[in-house]
PDB file of all heavy atoms in Angstrom:
ATOM      1  N   SER R 364      26.410 -37.691 -31.861  1.00 96.00           N
ATOM      2  CA  SER R 364      27.135 -38.082 -30.643  1.00 96.00           C
ATOM      3  C   SER R 364      27.125 -36.969 -29.599  1.00 96.00           C
ATOM      4  O   SER R 364      27.242 -37.234 -28.410  1.00 96.00           O
ATOM      5  CB  SER R 364      28.560 -38.496 -30.984  1.00 96.00           C
ATOM      6  OG  SER R 364      29.162 -37.481 -31.750  1.00 96.00           O
ATOM      7  N   ASN R 365      26.980 -35.711 -30.006  1.00 96.00           N
ATOM      8  CA  ASN R 365      26.954 -34.629 -29.020  1.00 96.00           C
ATOM      9  C   ASN R 365      25.538 -34.232 -28.592  1.00 96.00           C
ATOM     10  O   ASN R 365      25.363 -33.215 -27.920  1.00 96.00           O
ATOM     11  CB  ASN R 365      27.684 -33.410 -29.568  1.00 96.00           C
ATOM     12  CG  ASN R 365      29.172 -33.679 -29.675  1.00 96.00           C
ATOM     13  OD1 ASN R 365      29.791 -34.132 -28.717  1.00 96.00           O
ATOM     14  ND2 ASN R 365      29.742 -33.443 -30.842  1.00 96.00           N
ATOM     15  N   GLY R 366      24.549 -34.998 -28.985  1.00 96.00           N
ATOM     16  CA  GLY R 366      23.181 -34.678 -28.584  1.00 96.00           C
ATOM     17  C   GLY R 366      23.022 -34.772 -27.075  1.00 96.00           C
ATOM     18  O   GLY R 366      23.660 -35.613 -26.432  1.00 96.00           O
ATOM     19  N   GLU R 367      22.170 -33.929 -26.535  1.00 95.00           N
ATOM     20  CA  GLU R 367      21.997 -33.903 -25.083  1.00 95.00           C
ATOM     21  C   GLU R 367      20.940 -34.892 -24.602  1.00 95.00           C
ATOM     22  O   GLU R 367      20.775 -35.105 -23.417  1.00 95.00           O
ATOM     23  CB  GLU R 367      21.602 -32.493 -24.635  1.00 95.00           C
ATOM     24  CG  GLU R 367      22.669 -31.457 -24.916  1.00 95.00           C
ATOM     25  CD  GLU R 367      22.232 -30.069 -24.498  1.00 95.00           C
ATOM     26  OE1 GLU R 367      21.253 -29.546 -25.066  1.00 95.00           O
ATOM     27  OE2 GLU R 367      22.857 -29.511 -23.600  1.00 95.00           O
ATOM     28  N   ASP R 368      20.162 -35.454 -25.534  1.00 95.00           N
ATOM     29  CA  ASP R 368      19.106 -36.390 -25.156  1.00 95.00           C
ATOM     30  C   ASP R 368      19.537 -37.824 -25.433  1.00 95.00           C
ATOM     31  O   ASP R 368      20.409 -38.067 -26.257  1.00 95.00           O
ATOM     32  CB  ASP R 368      17.838 -36.094 -25.974  1.00 95.00           C
ATOM     33  CG  ASP R 368      17.204 -34.789 -25.556  1.00 95.00           C
ATOM     34  OD1 ASP R 368      16.510 -34.782 -24.536  1.00 95.00           O
ATOM     35  OD2 ASP R 368      17.429 -33.775 -26.240  1.00 95.00           O
ATOM     36  N   PHE R 369      18.888 -38.754 -24.743  1.00 96.00           N
ATOM     37  CA  PHE R 369      19.118 -40.165 -25.014  1.00 96.00           C
ATOM     38  C   PHE R 369      17.894 -40.738 -25.709  1.00 96.00           C
ATOM     39  O   PHE R 369      16.771 -40.521 -25.270  1.00 96.00           O
ATOM     40  CB  PHE R 369      19.359 -40.943 -23.721  1.00 96.00           C
ATOM     41  CG  PHE R 369      20.677 -40.626 -23.082  1.00 96.00           C
ATOM     42  CD1 PHE R 369      20.742 -39.845 -21.947  1.00 96.00           C
ATOM     43  CD2 PHE R 369      21.854 -41.099 -23.646  1.00 96.00           C
ATOM     44  CE1 PHE R 369      21.961 -39.542 -21.362  1.00 96.00           C
ATOM     45  CE2 PHE R 369      23.087 -40.802 -23.064  1.00 96.00           C
ATOM     46  CZ  PHE R 369      23.137 -40.018 -21.928  1.00 96.00           C
ATOM     47  N   VAL R 370      18.161 -41.459 -26.779  1.00 97.00           N
ATOM     48  CA  VAL R 370      17.081 -42.102 -27.515  1.00 97.00           C
ATOM     49  C   VAL R 370      17.259 -43.604 -27.391  1.00 97.00           C
ATOM     50  O   VAL R 370      18.346 -44.130 -27.623  1.00 97.00           O
ATOM     51  CB  VAL R 370      17.144 -41.718 -29.015  1.00 97.00           C
ATOM     52  CG1 VAL R 370      16.090 -42.474 -29.803  1.00 97.00           C
ATOM     53  CG2 VAL R 370      16.979 -40.222 -29.186  1.00 97.00           C
ATOM     54  N   ILE R 371      16.187 -44.268 -26.997  1.00 97.00           N
ATOM     55  CA  ILE R 371      16.201 -45.723 -26.908  1.00 97.00           C
ATOM     56  C   ILE R 371      15.450 -46.223 -28.137  1.00 97.00           C
ATOM     57  O   ILE R 371      14.335 -45.770 -28.396  1.00 97.00           O
ATOM     58  CB  ILE R 371      15.439 -46.182 -25.644  1.00 97.00           C
ATOM     59  CG1 ILE R 371      15.980 -45.488 -24.391  1.00 97.00           C
ATOM     60  CG2 ILE R 371      15.435 -47.696 -25.524  1.00 97.00           C
ATOM     61  CD1 ILE R 371      17.262 -45.996 -23.860  1.00 97.00           C
ATOM     62  N   HIS R 372      16.068 -47.114 -28.895  1.00 96.00           N
ATOM     63  CA  HIS R 372      15.331 -47.604 -30.070  1.00 96.00           C
ATOM     64  C   HIS R 372      15.657 -49.060 -30.325  1.00 96.00           C
ATOM     65  O   HIS R 372      16.680 -49.577 -29.863  1.00 96.00           O
ATOM     66  CB  HIS R 372      15.634 -46.746 -31.297  1.00 96.00           C
ATOM     67  CG  HIS R 372      17.036 -46.928 -31.806  1.00 96.00           C
ATOM     68  ND1 HIS R 372      17.318 -47.613 -32.945  1.00 96.00           N
ATOM     69  CD2 HIS R 372      18.218 -46.526 -31.285  1.00 96.00           C
ATOM     70  CE1 HIS R 372      18.637 -47.633 -33.124  1.00 96.00           C
ATOM     71  NE2 HIS R 372      19.194 -46.970 -32.136  1.00 96.00           N
ATOM     72  N   CYS R 373      14.743 -49.686 -31.059  1.00 95.00           N
ATOM     73  CA  CYS R 373      14.921 -51.098 -31.367  1.00 95.00           C
ATOM     74  C   CYS R 373      15.377 -51.218 -32.810  1.00 95.00           C
ATOM     75  O   CYS R 373      14.726 -50.684 -33.708  1.00 95.00           O
ATOM     76  CB  CYS R 373      13.599 -51.839 -31.161  1.00 95.00           C
ATOM     77  SG  CYS R 373      13.719 -53.565 -31.665  1.00 95.00           S
ATOM     78  N   PRO R 374      16.477 -51.908 -33.056  1.00 93.00           N
ATOM     79  CA  PRO R 374      16.951 -52.031 -34.436  1.00 93.00           C
ATOM     80  C   PRO R 374      16.064 -52.947 -35.281  1.00 93.00           C
ATOM     81  O   PRO R 374      16.113 -52.881 -36.504  1.00 93.00           O
ATOM     82  CB  PRO R 374      18.355 -52.617 -34.290  1.00 93.00           C
ATOM     83  CG  PRO R 374      18.396 -53.239 -32.939  1.00 93.00           C
ATOM     84  CD  PRO R 374      17.372 -52.560 -32.090  1.00 93.00           C
ATOM     85  N   ASP R 375      15.227 -53.780 -34.653  1.00 94.00           N
ATOM     86  CA  ASP R 375      14.420 -54.738 -35.409  1.00 94.00           C
ATOM     87  C   ASP R 375      13.011 -54.246 -35.714  1.00 94.00           C
ATOM     88  O   ASP R 375      12.502 -54.431 -36.805  1.00 94.00           O
ATOM     89  CB  ASP R 375      14.319 -56.067 -34.646  1.00 94.00           C
ATOM     90  CG  ASP R 375      15.583 -56.893 -34.807  1.00 94.00           C
ATOM     91  OD1 ASP R 375      16.578 -56.316 -35.292  1.00 94.00           O
ATOM     92  OD2 ASP R 375      15.570 -58.081 -34.447  1.00 94.00           O
ATOM     93  N   CYS R 376      12.352 -53.645 -34.717  1.00 93.00           N
ATOM     94  CA  CYS R 376      11.015 -53.138 -34.983  1.00 93.00           C
ATOM     95  C   CYS R 376      11.101 -51.615 -34.959  1.00 93.00           C
ATOM     96  O   CYS R 376      12.172 -51.048 -34.859  1.00 93.00           O
ATOM     97  CB  CYS R 376       9.999 -53.675 -33.967  1.00 93.00           C
ATOM     98  SG  CYS R 376      10.161 -53.001 -32.309  1.00 93.00           S
ATOM     99  N   SER R 377       9.983 -50.917 -35.047  1.00 88.00           N
ATOM    100  CA  SER R 377      10.084 -49.466 -35.181  1.00 88.00           C
ATOM    101  C   SER R 377      10.071 -48.759 -33.827  1.00 88.00           C
ATOM    102  O   SER R 377       9.986 -47.545 -33.770  1.00 88.00           O
ATOM    103  CB  SER R 377       8.926 -48.962 -36.045  1.00 88.00           C
ATOM    104  OG  SER R 377       7.712 -49.308 -35.402  1.00 88.00           O
ATOM    105  N   TYR R 378      10.165 -49.520 -32.729  1.00 95.00           N
ATOM    106  CA  TYR R 378      10.041 -48.877 -31.422  1.00 95.00           C
ATOM    107  C   TYR R 378      11.169 -47.875 -31.176  1.00 95.00           C
ATOM    108  O   TYR R 378      12.350 -48.194 -31.338  1.00 95.00           O
ATOM    109  CB  TYR R 378      10.049 -49.939 -30.308  1.00 95.00           C
ATOM    110  CG  TYR R 378       9.819 -49.342 -28.939  1.00 95.00           C
ATOM    111  CD1 TYR R 378       8.564 -48.868 -28.580  1.00 95.00           C
ATOM    112  CD2 TYR R 378      10.855 -49.212 -28.023  1.00 95.00           C
ATOM    113  CE1 TYR R 378       8.348 -48.288 -27.333  1.00 95.00           C
ATOM    114  CE2 TYR R 378      10.653 -48.642 -26.781  1.00 95.00           C
ATOM    115  CZ  TYR R 378       9.392 -48.176 -26.450  1.00 95.00           C
ATOM    116  OH  TYR R 378       9.182 -47.588 -25.224  1.00 95.00           O
TER     117      TYR R 378
END
Side-chain angles (χ1 to χ4, degrees):
S364 52
N365 291 310
E367 297 178 297
D368 290 280
F369 290 106
V370 175
I371 307 283
H372 70 107
C373 175
D375 282 13
C376 71
S377 60
Y378 184 72

